[in-house]
Amino acid sequence: MPKSEELELLQGTLDLLVLKTLSWGAMHGYGVARWIRETTDNVLQVEDRALYVSLHRMEERGWIVSEWGLSENNRKAKYYELTPAGRRQLRSQSARFASYAEAVFKVLQTA
Amino acid sequence: MKFPRGVRRWFRLRTGATDVLHDIDDELQFHIESRIEDLVRRGSTEAAARAQALREFGDVCEAREKLCGYARRHRERIQRNEWWSDVGTDFRLAFRFLKQRPGFVLLLALTLGLGLGANLVTFDVADRLLFRPPAHVVDADGIRRIHFQRTYSFLGLNTSSYTTYVDFLDLQRHSRSLSNVAAFASSNAALGRGDDARRVRQGIVTASFFDVLGVRPHLGSFYSEAEDSPPHGTAVVVLDYDFWQGNFGGARDVLGTQLLIGNTSYAVIGVAPRGFTGVGLQRVDVWTPASVVAEERMGSDFATSRNMTWLQLIARLKPDVTTEQAEQEATAVWRRVAEPRVQDDHTARVLLSPIQEARGPGETRLARQGKVATWLGGVSLLVLLVACANAANLMLARTIDNRREIGIRIALGIGRMRLFRQLVVEGLVLVTIAAAGALLIAHYGATLLHAVLLRDIHAGDGVLNARMLGFLAIAVLFTLAATLLPPGIQMLREAVIPSLRSGAREGRQRSRLRVALLFTQAVFSVVLLIGATLFVRSLQNAARFDFGFDPHRTLVADVDLHLLDMKTAQIREFYEQAMERVARTPGVESTAISSAVPMESSRATTFRAEGVDSVPIPPTGGPYITLVTPSYFQTTDIRVLEGRAFSNQDRKGTAPVAVLGQTMARLLWPGESALGKCVYIGGDDDNPAACSTVVGVVEDVRTHGIVRTDVMQYYVPLAQEQVRNSTFALFVRAKSRTADAGAWSLRLGRDADAASLRSSQDIDAAALVRPVTRELQAIRSGLPYVNVRVLQSLVDPQLESWRLGAVLFTTFGILGLLLAAIGLYSMLSWAVASRTREMGVRIALGARARDVITLIMKDGMRVAAAGVIVGIILAAAASKFVAPLLFDVSPREPLPYLIGGAILLAVALLATILPARRATTVEPAITLKSD
């Protein structure tokens, strides 16, 4: 996909996306990247570096926890999972993003 | 933590910084390789896929760093939480252990509590005497007491704290190293008249006194220099707080009230803050200006006369002046302005000492008590060590009992440090309980102590304060360390495999550590017991000290009739009337009048003896003269050794006679009889005295306290008036109801005079106090305070430091003994319990009960005996230092050592018999089957 059409993500929304992704179940970092790419039909290109920073930061805050495990092809991988605190974050951040998007739309639709 | 199905925890989370980095590398590597795989699957080449994957990722290095930071912080948080939850678990386990074995815990806590409590009490005593500045004194470190050292012709080199008003003024005006000088004195005084007459403790201080101490009044104000300057001060008074509360109900309008103290009416101008006692430790009821009291008692030349040394001085050092510099400067000042005798005396010096009276030079009572307190501090430390040894022993036994459990836990990987930490938490809980108990003991113990032994020291604001709590904290830490060291060592060097083997018991291999602990306990206990014995004997000797008179059955009564402006003849008539009336009172055996009260007043006049060129004067001074009525020697039970006492024939107009004390007779005419010799009393160059014939020699009276030095004293009949006299005292001898002198009783009470050891004879004498007072009051109305007391009350304060030592040493000795007994008992019980298998085998093999008992007891007694021997050696070595504190007891006497050793051995015997007997009740069949 041509680079000019890639949308750049705001910092906070990446966290939101990762949290939502993990709400489907425990995943390793690569799995999260792939999921986001597939679900957004390649529209959102997440920079992997940023993804891992987001994952580790959220782990430090206690929204997700990590565990080493075996991947589908028997390789050692680090799996992440939501905590109850993380679920609360997901709910509140979703709501906030929704109202933010709604507000932006309202302005755009006036034109 | 619940995991979704399929993800298992196979590895523990790695710790360490490099491990964190490895983790991150692994994670990123997985990501990159997965991406490469995907791309290859979609048709890329390996190389192209790798390049693309790396490009998509972004800056790997920067990512690593950032992720490292996050991971490390996260890891730290997890470790911290783990640590706290571990500590919580430790506490939970400790409390569970408490509930499971309450007896064990109680014993431990009691042992440690006693040790800690003893230390708290002695710390309180030592603190009050030696370290704590008096209440409400600001910056006590800058204040010094002033003493004067001189060589006297009859006393030799002597240090005195007392000086004249003139010296005070000189130092205050001329000293440059002392920023402010103050003078103080205290005495008992009569307050009011008639039925409301009371005795109060009067503080006589200069106005600068309050400045030097930096104290602020609670109500009103203190008096100033303007009100306290010679030649006339203003008659104002400051009340003590408790006195104000007790007598005026704490009313704020007390200012301006007039109080009649002595012969002067004072106006109340202020109230001192609560607990203020000046620089001493004794209670003071009223504070009055020195100039006013001096003028009243000594006449208008009080500020220039050098005859009366009655004031003590304190001063504040100027900043940046050392004590030595101040001493030198003050010495120079003093010698410049003092009388010629001092100026010529090259040994004359001014000495400065800290504000605590017990730290001053010389052999004052408080200095002695201070030394005793220091010793007691050491002794209580010994008791604490014994207690710690006990506790350590018990904890060690428990650790050894739990060897198997500990071995299992170590094998499972818990780590010895973790176990040690659990031990520390257990110890902490125990010591906290012990500390709480110790505070209780300290509170009641110190209150008891103050009521019984340290009566004249104002107890002040209770026993619990910041300093004591600080000391408690230090003692607790020390106790914790001492108690946990042996079990800790045992735990940390425990070999795991042997302890896991089933049937692992000690067998013959005794823990050397336990034996060592027990040995030290025995040693300390013996030392304590020997010390206690020495002090008790010391007290006995002191109490039996022959003062010359009988303090138990004799009362003395005096009234300060000068306050009523009576002439001497009238006063004498009063006393003669009193003598007759009281003699008729039931319970009174005889009465007499004297011019002096033993230990309180003494008087000397010019004296010459026949055939003696210069009269020898011992350090106690003299020769002291007392004017007495004929019945005096009989009333006070002073034995007549030669010749006769006075009779009614010896009166005005008949030949003057005298009776000498035995030492005086011996010193004046050694080897000869004094009877018939002439002495010349009173008189001077213009009016030479006539010859008074010596008609009798009596035993000496120890009027200067418990000291074994020579005293020069003699008596003349009151009726002959060989010298002028205006002071009188009435002596009364009580009839004794019981023939034996042995009935002692201990009474405790709130009243200051109530707590004392009294014999049945004392009780007879004490019962006469009220009747005698009434008789005297009936002679004339409006009398100032009538002071009637048993002579024993004059003697008691002399015994106080010996009493202090004896009571406390005995208490600690018994305590140490108890702890050692508990220690022995517990060790042997435990030894028996752990050797049941061995006992079973022995009994099965045919050993008799007696053999088993002997075997067990030999173990215990061996340790006790070794402890006794070493303890005796130790005590003998230390006895040299304690000798000055003992009265008439040579520390080399063998009896106390034998007694101490015997007591410990006896107790050890008792403590070992019970477990030994228990060993014989072991059933061989049962023990051999069990593990």
Side-chain angles (χ1 to χ4, degrees):
Chain A
M1 173 151 289
K3 255 212 174 158
S4 55
E5 287 179 35
E6 290 164 7
L7 297 176
E8 286 173 358
L9 277 174
L10 292 171
Q11 176 73 33
T13 47
L14 175 57
D15 287 352
L16 180 57
L17 293 177
V18 170
L19 285 174
K20 182 63 185 178
T21 310
L22 288 178
S23 72
W24 293 108
M27 265 182 232
H28 50 65
Y30 182 68
V32 172
R34 198 172 51 197
W35 172 274
I36 294 178
R37 226 189 351 256
E38 288 167 8
T39 311
T40 61
D41 295 328
N42 275 335
V43 171
L44 287 183
Q45 294 284 16
V46 179
E47 199 193 13
D48 300 325
R49 180 200 67 82
L51 172 68
Y52 279 97
V53 167
S54 160
L55 280 169
H56 279 252
R57 193 179 57 235
M58 287 198 293
E59 183 184 16
E60 198 218 334
R61 288 196 197 142
W63 296 346
I64 57 180
V65 285
S66 67
E67 199 91 48
W68 280 100
L70 284 191
S71 70
E72 307 84 31
N73 39 13
N74 268 338
R75 274 222 290 269
K76 210 174 68 168
K78 205 173 195 188
Y79 281 81
Y80 292 91
E81 197 196 12
L82 271 190
T83 63
R87 276 183 215 285
R88 282 197 295 274
Q89 269 300 313
L90 174 58
R91 270 200 300 275
S92 68
Q93 282 200 15
S94 302
R96 246 199 326 216
F97 185 81
S99 50
Y100 164 73
E102 198 181 313
V104 170
F105 263 125
K106 277 194 198 150
V107 172
L108 291 180
Q109 279 169 351
T110 56
Chain B
M1 263 169 57
K2 265 188 63 164
F3 303 127
R5 214 167 299 157
V7 178
R8 306 270 330 229
R9 184 191 182 109
W10 281 35
F11 306 103
R12 282 167 36 176
L13 209 58
R14 279 186 280 184
T15 58
T18 42
D19 293 330
V20 168
L21 213 50
H22 283 151
D23 266 7
I24 293 170
D25 283 343
D26 286 347
E27 191 179 5
L28 299 184
Q29 188 180 356
F30 170 79
H31 178 102
I32 306 254
E33 295 201 344
S34 303
R35 183 67 180 141
I36 292 174
E37 254 179 53
D38 274 355
L39 289 173
V40 162
R41 222 175 314 146
R42 298 210 194 136
S44 268
T45 64
E46 173 99 20
R50 181 171 291 275
Q52 184 179 352
L54 284 174
R55 199 179 49 237
E56 280 176 354
F57 193 90
D59 190 345
V60 180
C61 282
E62 191 239 342
R64 281 175 89 221
E65 267 174 46
K66 222 172 187 169
L67 295 176
C68 223
Y70 285 126
R72 208 185 350 240
R73 277 203 293 279
H74 179 63
R75 179 177 53 87
E76 275 166 21
R77 161 117 51 93
I78 288 185
Q79 279 182 332
R80 233 194 341 257
N81 288 344
E82 256 182 37
W83 191 85
W84 278 111
S85 84
D86 279 349
V87 169
T89 314
D90 286 342
F91 269 98
R92 254 200 331 272
L93 285 176
F95 282 120
R96 195 174 67 186
F97 155 65
L98 274 181
K99 281 205 303 244
Q100 273 174 354
R101 305 192 49 188
F104 180 82
V105 167
L106 209 64
L107 187 66
L108 267 177
L110 191 70
T111 309
L112 291 175
L114 285 172
L116 284 172
N119 272 281
L120 283 181
V121 169
T122 52
F123 172 76
D124 181 54
V125 172
D127 190 36
R128 268 181 217 280
L129 286 176
L130 298 170
F131 301 118
R132 201 189 298 183
H136 298 285
V137 171
V138 171
D139 190 19
D141 289 330
I143 299 179
R144 295 284 181 274
R145 284 182 187 250
I146 301 178
H147 310 273
F148 299 89
Q149 190 177 60
R150 284 174 52 178
T151 305
Y152 291 83
S153 54
F154 55 87
L155 278 174
L157 190 66
N158 186 51
T159 308
S160 169
S161 314
Y162 294 89
T163 186
T164 65
Y165 200 96
V166 190
D167 287 322
F168 155 67
L169 287 175
D170 287 335
L171 276 175
Q172 192 187 42
R173 280 174 199 152
H174 301 301
S175 170
R176 282 191 314 272
S177 56
L178 304 170
S179 66
N180 203 352
V181 181
F184 66 97
S186 65
S187 74
N188 293 316
L191 178 74
R193 293 278 184 275
D195 292 329
D196 287 335
R198 231 169 331 150
R199 246 171 155 221
V200 292
R201 190 88 191 140
Q202 181 184 17
I204 305 162
V205 302
T206 57
S208 49
F209 185 74
F210 305 107
D211 284 331
V212 170
L213 296 182
V215 58
R216 322 251 67 197
H218 172 79
L219 186 68
S221 66
F222 297 124
Y223 42 88
S224 61
E225 297 277 352
E227 287 156 317
D228 181 42
S229 309
H232 305 292
T234 317
V236 290
V237 64
V238 175
L239 302 180
D240 171 69
Y241 187 91
D242 289 326
F243 182 80
W244 172 53
Q245 289 288 335
N247 293 289
F248 296 94
R252 298 190 81 81
D253 62 354
V254 67
L255 301 181
T257 322
Q258 293 285 333
L259 286 181
L260 182 64
I261 305 173
N263 220 6
T264 312
S265 179
Y266 296 82
V268 177
I269 61 162
V271 176
R274 184 169 195 179
F276 178 65
T277 55
V279 289
L281 297 171
Q282 276 178 299
R283 181 197 92 241
V284 169
D285 295 316
V286 291
W287 301 94
T288 49
S291 57
V292 176
V293 178
E295 195 184 353
E296 178 191 335
R297 295 193 188 175
M298 289 163 228
S300 50
D301 64 342
F302 70 89
T304 51
S305 156
R306 287 190 183 278
N307 282 342
M308 294 294 298
T309 56
W310 61 296
L311 289 167
Q312 290 183 295
L313 303 186
I314 55 167
R316 192 171 271 288
L317 287 177
K318 281 214 176 102
D320 299 332
V321 174
T322 67
T323 309
E324 289 76 27
Q325 290 172 333
E327 277 182 357
Q328 278 167 6
E329 201 253 341
T331 304
V333 167
W334 183 45
R335 295 181 65 165
R336 213 170 44 233
V337 297
E339 49 187 332
R341 257 189 306 178
V342 172
Q343 286 174 337
D344 294 336
D345 183 358
H346 63 98
T347 65
R349 279 182 64 201
V350 170
L351 295 173
L352 301 178
S353 73
I355 194 174
Q356 289 88 354
E357 194 177 336
R359 285 162 76 178
E363 259 297 309
T364 62
R365 216 183 70 221
L366 274 189
R368 211 168 35 227
Q369 280 190 331
K371 287 203 197 84
V372 171
T374 316
W375 269 93
L376 285 173
V379 164
S380 60
L381 193 67
L382 268 184
V383 171
L384 183 64
L385 284 173
V386 171
C388 286
N390 231 351
N393 231 344
L394 288 169
M395 292 290 273
L396 192 58
R398 191 169 147 264
T399 307
I400 294 179
D401 277 344
N402 292 344
R403 274 164 95 211
R404 194 191 280 187
E405 180 193 328
I406 292 173
I408 292 177
R409 291 172 88 188
I410 293 179
L412 282 181
I414 285 189
R416 293 175 196 266
M417 281 315 292
R418 176 82 204 282
L419 287 173
F420 185 71
R421 195 177 63 203
Q422 191 177 335
L423 186 70
V424 170
V425 167
E426 273 175 13
L428 208 61
V429 170
L430 274 168
V431 172
T432 312
I433 300 177
L439 281 174
L440 270 173
I441 291 176
H443 178 73
Y444 289 109
T447 316
L448 193 70
L449 195 71
H450 277 274
V452 176
L453 291 173
L454 296 174
R455 258 176 294 146
D456 56 350
I457 295 180
H458 190 73
D461 51 351
V463 165
L464 297 173
N465 52 38
R467 298 163 77 98
M468 181 173 284
L469 289 178
F471 177 76
L472 182 64
I474 296 175
V476 159
L477 282 173
F478 171 80
T479 308
L480 207 59
T483 308
L484 293 178
L485 200 65
I489 293 177
Q490 177 77 20
M491 191 181 269
L492 288 176
R493 68 157 193 221
E494 188 76 62
V496 174
I497 304 297
S499 64
L500 285 178
R501 282 211 204 100
S502 62
R505 297 287 184 202
E506 264 192 299
R508 281 229 60 105
Q509 189 225 340
R510 204 170 298 107
S511 168
R512 269 196 291 270
L513 215 48
R514 292 208 80 194
V515 172
L517 280 174
L518 215 60
F519 172 73
T520 43
Q521 269 185 295
V523 168
F524 290 150
S525 301
V526 169
V527 170
L528 285 175
L529 283 171
I530 293 174
T533 321
L534 284 173
F535 269 90
V536 166
R537 286 179 61 106
S538 185
L539 178 64
Q540 279 180 329
N541 286 347
R544 264 189 293 213
F545 182 74
D546 188 7
F547 285 92
F549 54 84
D550 181 358
H552 297 293
R553 280 170 59 185
T554 320
L555 294 109
V556 60
D558 63 280
V559 189
D560 199 357
L561 294 170
H562 293 284
L563 299 177
L564 296 181
D565 284 329
M566 282 168 75
K567 302 262 186 304
T568 305
Q570 292 171 305
I571 298 179
R572 193 155 139 208
E573 221 179 273
F574 174 88
Y575 275 94
E576 281 167 0
Q577 255 194 313
M579 188 167 82
E580 278 169 43
R581 287 180 73 136
V582 172
R584 291 196 293 265
T585 312
V588 170
E589 191 173 298
S590 71
T591 54
I593 302 177
S594 150
S595 64
V597 178
M599 302 208 186
E600 276 194 1
S601 48
S602 50
R603 182 172 161 195
T605 185
T606 55
F607 181 86
R608 274 188 315 115
E610 171 190 327
V612 177
D613 290 324
S614 79
V615 177
I617 311 278
T620 44
Y624 295 106
I625 180 175
T626 314
L627 296 85
V628 297
T629 57
S631 47
Y632 179 75
F633 299 116
Q634 173 202 357
T635 306
T636 52
D637 201 27
I638 296 176
R639 277 177 309 148
V640 177
L641 300 171
E642 279 180 56
R644 66 170 178 85
F646 300 133
S647 69
N648 285 325
Q649 270 32 59
D650 303 308
R651 54 176 192 274
K652 209 166 181 72
T654 61
V657 292
V659 166
L660 264 52
Q662 66 185 112
T663 305
M664 186 164 178
R666 179 170 53 88
L667 286 179
L668 285 176
W669 301 287
E672 305 172 45
S673 167
L675 299 182
K677 300 255 196 282
C678 274
V679 291
Y680 304 91
I681 304 167
D684 48 31
D685 295 326
D686 300 328
N687 256 333
C691 162
S692 300
T693 318
V694 177
V695 295
V697 176
V698 293
E699 63 177 332
D700 287 330
V701 171
R702 301 277 167 208
T703 52
H704 285 84
I706 302 186
V707 276
R708 286 203 178 297
T709 56
D710 298 328
V711 282
M712 298 274 281
Q713 50 192 208
Y714 61 104
Y715 306 85
V716 292
L718 193 64
Q720 286 188 340
E721 286 179 14
Q722 293 178 32
V723 291
R724 259 197 239 284
N725 175 61
S726 56
T727 58
F728 302 90
L730 178 71
F731 283 78
V732 180
R733 182 172 177 79
K735 279 207 186 94
S736 72
R737 269 180 301 148
T738 52
D740 74 301
W744 289 83
S745 61
L746 178 69
R747 267 183 51 192
L748 297 168
R750 302 231 169 256
D751 191 24
D753 285 323
S756 55
L757 286 169
R758 292 192 176 171
S759 73
S760 58
Q761 296 173 326
D762 286 345
I763 294 174
D764 297 332
L768 281 181
V769 169
R770 204 82 59 89
V772 169
T773 314
R774 273 202 300 270
E775 284 294 334
L776 287 171
Q777 280 174 335
I779 298 178
R780 193 194 163 105
S781 65
L783 283 180
Y785 182 71
V786 176
N787 192 14
V788 182
R789 28 203 179 137
V790 182
L791 276 187
Q792 182 67 31
S793 67
L794 296 171
V795 161
D796 272 344
Q798 306 287 330
L799 296 177
E800 213 159 76
S801 47
W802 283 287
R803 196 172 279 152
L804 185 74
V807 169
L808 284 180
F809 263 97
T810 310
T811 312
F812 288 153
I814 293 177
L815 211 60
L817 187 69
L818 207 67
L819 292 173
I822 293 176
L824 255 179
Y825 177 81
S826 67
M827 172 177 125
L828 283 174
S829 295
W830 172 84
V832 163
S834 65
R835 287 164 70 181
T836 45
R837 188 184 236 185
E838 179 194 339
M839 293 300 131
V841 168
R842 282 180 190 267
I843 293 179
L845 286 180
R848 290 169 297 176
R850 192 159 10 121
D851 297 332
V852 171
I853 290 183
T854 322
L855 186 70
I856 301 284
M857 284 183 60
K858 244 191 343 181
D859 286 342
M861 294 309 290
R862 231 199 318 243
V863 175
V868 165
I869 293 174
V870 174
I872 287 182
I873 296 176
L874 214 65
S879 64
K880 187 165 30 118
F881 300 105
V882 97
L885 295 175
L886 300 174
F887 185 78
D888 242 17
V889 175
S890 159
R892 301 283 166 178
E893 262 178 53
L895 194 61
Y897 296 90
L898 292 177
I899 292 180
I903 294 179
L904 183 69
L905 285 175
V907 171
L909 206 69
L910 265 174
T912 57
I913 276 193
L914 291 168
R917 292 196 58 192
R918 217 162 341 113
T920 63
T921 65
V922 163
E923 290 270 350
I926 293 178
T927 58
L928 288 175
K929 279 197 225 132
S930 78
D931 190 34

